[in-house]
Amino acid sequence: MLLIGMLFAGLVNGGGLGQFPRAFSLAHGAVFGGLLISVYSLVGIFGKLLLGWLNDTFGIKVAIIYSAGTLSLVFFFMLFSNQLWAAFVAAILYGSANAIGTVVGPLLVASLYTVENYGDAYGIIQSAQQTGMTFGSITVATLFDRTGSYQPAWLLFLVLAAAVLVLWLPALKLSQKYLIKQKEREDVHA
């Protein structure tokens, strides 16, 4: 569940990074398209800090709900991004949600695996995410080429972003049970 969620998170994040500039420019012209890209780039700085703060203050579960939920909202608003107000909302949300690609991965792995297993686990998790990012932009571009619209891609990515949440929360719960059992075994053998 964790790997599939990371694959989906990479796919959705990569699709946004690779295709939002063109989608915004087609819908609103180069000037507003560039402005929207600047908005999500600027907000992204604070989005990473906010996500780290949420994790530190409320835990990884809240960080997952916030990041995957916000990413889902991005693609909901992208369905209406031909209207400038919706494009601005999507850009602001994407700046915040974009942290799912760089911040959530390490935090999630740290909460699911022991210190001894972190390096191995993170390498595998990161590989799934990078695979998704590789195909994200290609997926959006292919759907656009075949349909003449970004709408099918945004709808697909809305579903995939929601699936990240549906996959990661149970993975977190299952891993906590495993870590508790592992700790109990270590205490018995100590």
Side-chain angles (χ1 to χ4, degrees), residues 2-3 6 100-110 113-130:
L2 179 61
L3 285 174
M6 289 304 283
I100 199 169
T102 54
V103 176
V104 174
L107 295 174
L108 189 56
V109 172
Y113 293 92
T114 61
V115 173
E116 296 82 21
N117 298 327
Y118 179 88
D120 293 337
Y122 185 69
I124 293 167
I125 299 304
Q126 190 65 14
S127 295
Q129 184 180 25
Q130 289 301 315

Side-chain angles (χ1 to χ4, degrees), residues 174-189:
L174 290 171
S175 73
Q176 296 304 318
K177 290 179 184 177
Y178 172 75
L179 288 174
I180 290 169
K181 287 180 184 178
Q182 183 180 10
K183 175 94 171 105
E184 289 171 355
R185 280 191 300 245
E186 288 172 1
D187 290 343
V188 167
H189 289 87

Side-chain angles (χ1 to χ4, degrees), residues 13 17 20 36-51 66 70-71 74 88-100 102:
N13 214 13
L17 283 173
F20 282 174
L36 291 164
I37 294 162
S38 297
V39 166
Y40 73 65
S41 296
L42 177 64
V43 172
I45 296 166
F46 301 102
K48 291 174 192 290
L49 296 172
L50 175 61
L51 188 55
Y66 170 78
T70 304
L71 196 57
V74 168
F88 268 105
V89 171
I92 291 166
L93 290 173
Y94 186 65
S96 187
N98 189 353
I100 199 169
T102 54

